[in-house]
C-alpha cells in the first residue's frame, strides 16, 4: 500500500509539473501554484516510499482523500484547458489505489468523491460538458475493469504451480478449522514445512529445477497425507519453498507423527518442520506464529528435523502483553570485568518480569512465550530502552564509559526496521552507539542466513559492535569465525565450568584466545563461579569475564551500591573496549 501510493504520488506530481513546461521560465501565478502542488506531491510520495509502511491503515484514507483534493486544485489552477485535462488524467492513479486497498464500500465512496471533484473542477473551468463526460466515461470504464480484475485476483485460492491451496486459500480454511475446533472443543494442530537449502537448487539448476522440485514435493506430500492423516487435513503452499498442513482432530503427538512421515517421504530432499497444537482461546494467528517459531528452531538445530512449539498459556500471554504495554518489565545488569583486576568495563542487560500475582517469572518461560506469539521485537526494544536508560545512570555514577551488551533474537534481527528501531532507542535515551554491543548466537545467524549477517554489517557501520553469544555449546565451529561480522566472542558457561577439570579444555581455550586475537575478537568468558576458574582465565590471558564470582545480575540501584567499593580505574584496557 505504501509503495504503490507513494509511487503514484511521485508520478502524479511529476506529471503535474510537466504541464507547466510550456510556460517556463515564466509560469505565472497559476503555473507556480501547480509547481508547488507538484513538489508537495513528490515530497509526500517520497515520505510514503521511505516511511509509509509504519503508517496505520486508516492514514491511507487521509492520504488518498488528500490526493483527490490536490487533483481538483490542480485542475482548477492549470494555465489552460489542455493542461487541466492532463492533470485530470491522474484520476486513474487515485482510482487504482481505491480499488486495490480499500473495502468495496470505502472504495465506492472514495471513487464517487474523486469523480465529483474532478468533474466539478473541469466544469468550473467551463470545459465542454461533452468532453468532460467522455473523459469521465473512459475513467469510469477503466475503474470498473480494474475493479473486476482485482476482485478476481482477490478470490484466487489456488497456487498456479503446485495446484495446492495458496496462502489466501489456506488462511480461509485455517480460520474455519480453528473456529470449528474451538466450538467443538476438539484438537487441531498445524505444521509448517520448509525445504532445506532450496536456494542452492535454484542457484545450481535454475528456477526451472526449483519449480520441478516444488511440484514433485507437493505430489509426495499429498500422497503421504492420504495414507496417514484424516481426510479433513488441509495442505497448502504458503509461498516460496514453504508448505503448511492443518490436521483437525489430531493432538500434538499425532501431528508430530504425521510431520515425521512427511519428512521421511520427502527424502532425499531435506524438510525442516515446526508443529504447534491449538490451545484454548488461542486464535489462528497466534497458533501459526508458534508453529513458525518451532520451524525456526528446527532450522537452527541443524535442519531436516521436526520441532514442536511450547504450549501456550493464554492467561500468561495476556499478562505479558500488558507488561510490555505498561512498563511492567525490568532489566538486571551483570558486570563484565577484567578477570585479573575485577575492574568493571561493561554490563550485560538481562530481562526480568515480576508478575503481580505469580511473582518473578523465569526468562526461560516468558522469552519463548514472546517468540511464539510475535512479541519478540517488542521485548527486545523494551529491554534495550530500559538498559540504555539504566546504563546512562551507571555511567554518570561511575564517571567513566562502560559497554552495554543487549541480546537480539534471530526473528528481530531479520526485521527490516531493526537498525532504525535501535537508532531511535539510542536517540531517545542518549546512549552512544559506540558503547553498545548486540549479542546474537551463532545458531541464530545460521538459521537466519544472509539477512541476519547483513543486519550485523549495518550495525557495525553505525558504530554498534557485535558479540557472538554461547560460543562453545557444541554447535560452534572455529571455521566460521572469520566469516561472522563480530567484535566479541562470548564463551558459554558450560565451557568455562570445565576449565579446571580438563587440561584439554584449557588447551582449546588457549588456542581460541590466540586465534581470536589474530581475528580482532575479544573473548568474554561467561559463568565464572569459582576462584579456580578465574585463576585459569588469568593464566591463559583471557581479557574479559563475567559470572557470579564477580557479580550477580542486579537492578541498577543495587549494582551501583555493589560497585561503590571499587576503585575507579584510570582507564579500561584499550583492547577490551575496542574489541581487538
Amino acid at each position: 500500500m505504501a509503495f504503490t501510493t507513494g509511487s503514484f504520488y511521485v508520478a502524479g506530481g511529476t506529471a503535474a509539473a510537466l504541464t507547466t513546461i510550456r510556460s517556463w521560465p515564466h509560469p505565472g501565478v497559476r503555473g507556480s501554484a501547480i509547481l508547488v502542488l507538484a513538489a508537495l506531491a513528490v515530497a509526500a510520495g517520497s515520505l510514503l516510499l521511505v516511511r509509509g509502511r509504519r503508517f496505520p491503515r486508516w492514514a491511507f484514507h487521509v492520504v488518498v482523500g488528500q490526493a483527490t483534493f490536490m487533483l481538483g486544485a490542480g485542475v482548477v489552477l492549470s494555465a489552460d484547458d489542455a493542461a487541466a485535462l492532463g492533470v485530470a488524467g491522474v484520476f486513474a492513479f487515485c482510482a487504482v489505489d481505491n480499488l486495490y486497498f480499500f473495502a468495496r464500500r470505502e472504495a465506492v465512496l472514495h471513487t464517487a468523491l474523486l469523480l465529483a471533484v474532478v468533474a466539478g473542477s473541469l466544469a468550473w473551468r467551463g470545459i465542454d460538458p461533452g468532453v468532460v463526460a467522455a473523459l469521465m466515461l473512459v475513467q469510469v470504464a477503466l475503474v470498473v475493469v480494474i475493479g473486476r480484475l482485482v476482485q478476481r485476483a482477490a478470490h484466487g485460492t489456488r497456487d498456479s504451480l503446485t495446484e495446492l491451496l495458496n496462502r489466501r486459500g489456506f488462511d480461509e480454511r485455517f480460520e474455519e478449522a480453528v473456529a470449528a475446533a474451538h466450538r467443538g472443543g476438539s484438537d487441531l494442530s498445524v505444521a509448517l514445512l520448509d525445504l532445506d537449502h532450496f536456494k542452492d537448487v535454484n542457484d545450481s539448476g535454475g528456477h526451472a529445477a526449483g519449480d520441478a522440485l516444488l511440484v514433485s514435493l507437493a505430489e509426495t506430500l499429498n500422497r503421504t497425507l492420504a495414507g496417514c492423516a484424516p481426510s479433513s487435513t488441509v495442505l497448502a503452499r504458503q509461498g516460496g519453498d514453504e508448505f503448511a498442513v492443518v490436521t483437525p482432530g489430531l493432538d500434538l503427538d499425532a501431528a508430530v507423527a504425521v510431520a515425521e512421515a512427511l519428512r521421511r517421504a520427502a527424502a532425499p530432499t531435506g524438510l525442516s518442520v515446526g508443529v504447534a497444537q491449538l490451545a484454548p482461546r488461542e486464535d489462528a494467528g497466534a497458533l501459526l506464529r508458534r508453529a513458525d517459531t518451532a520451524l525456526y528452531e528446527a532450522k537452527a538445530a541443524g535442519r531436516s528435523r521436526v520441532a514442536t512449539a511450547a504450549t501456550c498459556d493464554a492467561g500468561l500471554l495476556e499478562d505479558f502483553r500488558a507488561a510490555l504495554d505498561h512498563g511492567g518489565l525490568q532489566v538486571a545488569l551483570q558486570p563484565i570485568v577484567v578477570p585479573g583486576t575485577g575492574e568493571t568495563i561493561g554490563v550485560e542487560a538481562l530481562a526480568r518480569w515480576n508478575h503481580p500475582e505469580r511473582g518473578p517469572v523465569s526468562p526461560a518461560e516468558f522469552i519463548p512465550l514472546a517468540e511464539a506469539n510475535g512479541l519478540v521485537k517488542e521485548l527486545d526494544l523494551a529491554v534495550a530502552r530500559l538498559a540504555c536508560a539504566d546504563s546512562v545512570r551507571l555511567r554518570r555514577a561511575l564517571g567513566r564509559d562502560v559497554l552495554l551488551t543487549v541480546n537480539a533474537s534471530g526473528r528481530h534481527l531479520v526485521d527490516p526496521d531493526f537498525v532504525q528501531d535501535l537508532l531511535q532507542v539510542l536517540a531517545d535515551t542518549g546512549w552512544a552507539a559506540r558503547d553498545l554491543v548486540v549479542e546474537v548466537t551463532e545458531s541464530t545467524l545460521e538459521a537466519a542466513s544472509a539477512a541476519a549477517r547483513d543486519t550485523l554489517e549495518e550495525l557495525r557501520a553505525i558504530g554498534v559492535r557485535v558479540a557472538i553469544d554461547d560460543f562453545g555449546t557444541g554447535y560452534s565451529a572455529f571455521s566460521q569465525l572469520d566469516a561472522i561480522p563480530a567484535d566479541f566472542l562470548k564463551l558459554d558457561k558450560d565451557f568455562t565450568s570445565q576449565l579446571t577439570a580438563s587440561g584439554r579444555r584449557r588447551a582449546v581455550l588457549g588456542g581460541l584466545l590466540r586465534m581470536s586475537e589474530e581475528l580482532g575478537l575479544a573473548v568474554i568468558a561467561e559463568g565464572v563461579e569459582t576462584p579456580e576458574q578465574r585463576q585459569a582465565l588469568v593464566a591463559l590471558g583471557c581479557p574479559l569475564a563475567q559470572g557470579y564470582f564477580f557479580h550477580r545480575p542486579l537492578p541498577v540501584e543495587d549494582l551501583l551500591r555493589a560497585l561503590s567499593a571499587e576503585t575507579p580505574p584510570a582507564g579500561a584496557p584499550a583492547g577490551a573496549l575496542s574489541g581487538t
Side-chain angles (χ1 to χ4, degrees), residues 311-372:
T311 57
C312 177
D313 184 331
L316 188 64
L317 175 60
E318 289 306 309
D319 292 342
F320 183 69
R321 289 183 193 274
L324 281 174
D325 292 340
H326 303 295
L329 295 181
Q330 301 86 36
V331 294
L333 304 177
Q334 183 172 35
I336 299 170
V337 306
V338 179
T341 64
E343 294 172 353
T344 297
I345 65 97
V347 289
E348 178 182 1
L350 302 167
R352 296 291 184 262
W353 179 28
N354 193 30
H355 191 280
E357 297 176 1
R358 293 177 46 171
V361 180
S362 169
E365 187 173 1
F366 69 77
I367 291 177
L369 189 70
E371 291 175 338

Side-chain angles (χ1 to χ4, degrees), residues 118-304:
V118 174
S121 300
L122 290 170
W124 183 87
R125 292 190 62 91
I127 294 177
D128 184 270
V131 174
V132 175
L135 178 62
M136 292 299 98
L137 181 62
V138 170
Q139 297 283 20
V140 169
L142 178 64
V143 168
V144 171
V145 171
I146 291 175
R148 179 61 178 164
L149 292 174
V150 170
Q151 186 180 39
R152 289 184 62 184
H155 287 84
T157 59
R158 288 284 166 182
D159 174 52
S160 59
L161 179 65
T162 63
E163 298 184 0
L164 299 176
L165 289 174
N166 60 16
R167 182 182 292 273
R168 183 181 299 277
F170 170 80
D171 287 345
E172 293 176 0
R173 296 282 295 277
F174 185 44
E175 292 277 359
E176 293 170 0
V178 168
H182 282 315
R183 285 195 305 269
S186 56
D187 289 325
L188 180 138
S189 295
V190 62
L192 295 181
L193 300 77
D194 190 84
L195 274 73
D196 297 332
H197 306 296
F198 182 66
K199 183 177 182 297
D200 295 342
V201 176
N202 279 333
D203 289 346
S204 60
H207 289 288
D211 289 349
L213 177 59
L214 291 171
V215 171
S216 174
L217 180 62
E219 294 172 351
T220 300
L221 297 178
N222 247 330
R223 189 168 53 250
T224 305
L225 286 171
C228 68
S231 58
S232 56
T233 295
V234 177
L235 172 64
R237 182 186 176 202
Q238 288 284 79
D241 59 343
E242 188 170 297
F243 296 80
V245 178
V246 180
T247 49
L250 297 189
D251 62 14
L252 187 62
D253 291 340
V256 168
V258 170
E260 286 287 3
L262 295 174
R263 189 183 63 81
R264 291 193 299 270
T269 301
L271 275 185
S272 298
V273 188
V275 185
Q277 182 179 8
L278 183 67
R281 298 186 293 161
E282 185 176 24
D283 62 30
L287 174 60
L288 204 61
R289 285 192 294 270
R290 289 199 297 118
D292 195 41
T293 298
L295 171 61
Y296 185 85
E297 291 172 355
K299 292 163 65 177
R303 294 187 169 88
S304 194

Side-chain angles (χ1 to χ4, degrees), residues 189-525:
S189 295
V190 62
L192 295 181
L193 300 77
D194 190 84
L195 274 73
D196 297 332
H197 306 296
F198 182 66
K199 183 177 182 297
D200 295 342
V201 176
N202 279 333
D203 289 346
S204 60
H207 289 288
D211 289 349
L213 177 59
L214 291 171
V215 171
S216 174
L217 180 62
E219 294 172 351
T220 300
L221 297 178
N222 247 330
R223 189 168 53 250
T224 305
L225 286 171
C228 68
S231 58
S232 56
T233 295
V234 177
L235 172 64
R237 182 186 176 202
Q238 288 284 79
D241 59 343
E242 188 170 297
F243 296 80
V245 178
V246 180
T247 49
L250 297 189
D251 62 14
L252 187 62
D253 291 340
V256 168
V258 170
E260 286 287 3
L262 295 174
R263 189 183 63 81
R264 291 193 299 270
T269 301
L271 275 185
S272 298
V273 188
V275 185
Q277 182 179 8
L278 183 67
R281 298 186 293 161
E282 185 176 24
D283 62 30
L287 174 60
L288 204 61
R289 285 192 294 270
R290 289 199 297 118
D292 195 41
T293 298
L295 171 61
Y296 185 85
E297 291 172 355
K299 292 163 65 177
R303 294 187 169 88
S304 194
R305 65 193 66 210
V306 176
T308 58
T311 57
C312 177
D313 184 331
L316 188 64
L317 175 60
E318 289 306 309
D319 292 342
F320 183 69
R321 289 183 193 274
L324 281 174
D325 292 340
H326 303 295
L329 295 181
Q330 301 86 36
V331 294
L333 304 177
Q334 183 172 35
I336 299 170
V337 306
V338 179
T341 64
E343 294 172 353
T344 297
I345 65 97
V347 289
E348 178 182 1
L350 302 167
R352 296 291 184 262
W353 179 28
N354 193 30
H355 191 280
E357 297 176 1
R358 293 177 46 171
V361 180
S362 169
E365 187 173 1
F366 69 77
I367 291 177
L369 189 70
E371 291 175 338
N373 291 281
L375 298 173
V376 70
K377 175 179 178 177
E378 289 81 356
L379 174 60
D380 280 354
L381 291 176
V383 171
R385 190 174 297 276
L386 289 168
C388 286
D390 284 352
S391 296
V392 168
R393 293 180 56 193
L394 181 66
R395 181 180 60 195
R396 288 172 180 166
L398 295 179
R400 64 178 189 271
D401 287 339
V402 290
L403 288 177
L404 168 64
T405 76
V406 296
N407 292 279
S409 71
R411 288 305 176 84
H412 192 193
L413 200 63
V414 297
D415 187 299
D417 294 327
F418 179 88
V419 175
Q420 287 302 317
D421 288 340
L422 201 58
L423 282 172
Q424 189 62 55
V425 169
L426 294 175
D428 292 344
T429 59
W431 190 253
R434 68 176 183 276
D435 293 329
L436 183 67
V437 180
V438 172
E439 295 189 21
V440 294
T441 63
E442 188 184 359
S443 59
T444 288
L445 293 179
E446 175 64 18
S449 66
R453 296 177 188 241
D454 290 344
T455 299
L456 297 187
E457 294 287 10
E458 283 189 62
L459 289 173
R460 299 179 83 203
I462 63 173
V464 175
R465 283 172 279 182
V466 175
I468 305 304
D469 198 13
D470 296 338
F471 191 87
T473 57
Y475 183 91
S476 306
F478 279 46
S479 60
Q480 292 293 314
L481 291 182
D482 64 333
I484 298 174
D487 307 276
F488 295 88
L489 195 64
K490 300 199 74 175
L491 201 62
D492 184 72
K493 62 182 181 181
D494 291 337
F495 192 104
T496 304
S497 67
Q498 299 179 39
L499 282 178
T500 56
S502 170
R504 288 189 173 185
R505 185 54 59 96
R506 289 194 297 274
V508 170
L509 178 55
L512 176 62
L513 288 168
R514 290 189 294 273
M515 183 171 63
S516 297
E517 186 175 2
E518 290 291 328
L519 295 173
L521 294 167
V523 174
I524 304 173

Side-chain angles (χ1 to χ4, degrees), residues 505-549:
R505 185 54 59 96
R506 289 194 297 274
V508 170
L509 178 55
L512 176 62
L513 288 168
R514 290 189 294 273
M515 183 171 63
S516 297
E517 186 175 2
E518 290 291 328
L519 295 173
L521 294 167
V523 174
I524 304 173
E526 297 184 287
V528 180
E529 298 184 351
T530 67
E532 293 78 16
Q533 291 169 0
R534 173 194 179 183
Q535 188 56 44
L537 292 173
V538 172
L540 289 167
C542 184
L544 300 170
Q546 67 183 104
Y548 284 6
F549 176 79

